[in-house]
């Protein structure tokens, strides 16, 4: 432990105090006791194999910049991440906006670093030959959505339906098809597809299809950033230490994330201090669809 503290002091006071300045709110006598390890997960990644495939490079870089061993802790869903945080099974979580709202409400997760996403908004697409040109025409139709609780693939498309005067419980049939939504739309098994814009573009590319063949008839507002949260059981000084070093070394971290082929949505992303109120729009959607109790 003495060696870890010595390393930390070197980090704080070397090279013109590049780390000391962000931590100047701490007492000069404060000492951050670095834990031997921290456990990390991503809410929309299932299983240890997928975590390693998409975030091994990120894990390695994060471990290096924090000088703390980082271990993966896979979760089966974003709902499962909440009790994992509460029970101290995981310490750092990368979550989407909708997932963050739930983790914050149910596990008092603390937001530390937001990771922006370009063109991060929900779209609803249809077949060009369907004759459907507006959301209101989806009444009585089937809509493929990605996963329950997903920000761009469920929560915000529901808001688009509500804004168009449709009751998502009775006016349309919602099918959660994961990444099979575009194929279902192509085959005529559903009438529309709701996805993030990047997910929509990727699905078209993977299937060799075009926007002319499957145009987007609606686009939502720009969504809040994805966010790295930490357990509220971590010492506040350690949370700040993690935040400052992630922001300082964001170029390395983002490069590591983008090195995995499954993370194209983060192309052009930047990291910034996470602000809880940025996610109030998601909370409003939950209340609008009658799920306010879910985020209390």
């Amino acid at each position: 432990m003495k060696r870890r503290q010595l390393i930390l002091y070197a980090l704080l006071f070397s090279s013109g105090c590049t780390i000391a300045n962000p931590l100047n709110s701490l007492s000069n006598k404060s000492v951050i006791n670095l834990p031997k390890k921290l456990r990390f997960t991503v809410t929309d990644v299932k299983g240890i194999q997928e975590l390693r495939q998409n975030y091994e490079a990120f894990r390695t870089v994060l471990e290096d910049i924090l000088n703390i061993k980082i271990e993966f802790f896979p979760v089966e869903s974003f709902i499962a991440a909440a009790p994992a945080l509460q029970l101290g099974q995981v310490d750092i979580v990368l979550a989407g906006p909708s997932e963050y709202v739930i983790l914050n409400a149910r596990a008092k997760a603390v937001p530390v670093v937001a990771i922006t996403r370009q063109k991060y908004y929900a779209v609803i697409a249809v077949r060009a030959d369907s004759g459907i040109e507006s959301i209101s025409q989806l009444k009585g139709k089937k809509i493929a959505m990605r996963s329950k609780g997903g920000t761009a693939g469920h929560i915000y498309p529901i808001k688009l339906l509500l804004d168009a005067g449709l009751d998502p419980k009775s006016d349309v049939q919602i099918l959660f098809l994961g990444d099979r939504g575009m194929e279902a739309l192509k085959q005529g098994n559903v009438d529309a597809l709701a996805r993030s814009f990047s997910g929509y573009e990727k699905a078209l590319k993977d299937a060799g299809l075009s926007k002319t063949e499957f145009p987007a008839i609606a686009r939502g507002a720009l969504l809040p950033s994805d966010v790295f949260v930490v357990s509220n059981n971590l010492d506040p000084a350690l949370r700040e230490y993690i935040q400052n070093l992630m922001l300082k070394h964001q170029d390395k971290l983002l490069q590591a994330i983008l090195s995995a082929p499954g993370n194209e949505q983060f192309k052009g992303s930047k990291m910034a201090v996470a602000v809880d109120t940025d996610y109030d729009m998601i909370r409003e959607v939950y209340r609008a669809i009658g799920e306010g109790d879910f985020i209390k």
Side-chain angles (χ1 to χ4, degrees), residues 122-159:
V123 298
I124 296 179
V126 298
R127 294 185 303 278
D129 61 1
S130 67
I132 299 172
E133 298 179 350
S134 66
I135 297 179
S136 61
Q137 290 177 281
L138 291 175
K139 186 171 183 178
K141 306 295 186 180
K142 295 179 181 179
I143 304 175
M145 296 193 181
R146 189 162 189 264
S147 59
K148 192 171 184 178
T151 308
H154 178 213
I155 298 301
Y156 208 85
I158 291 293
K159 183 179 188 302

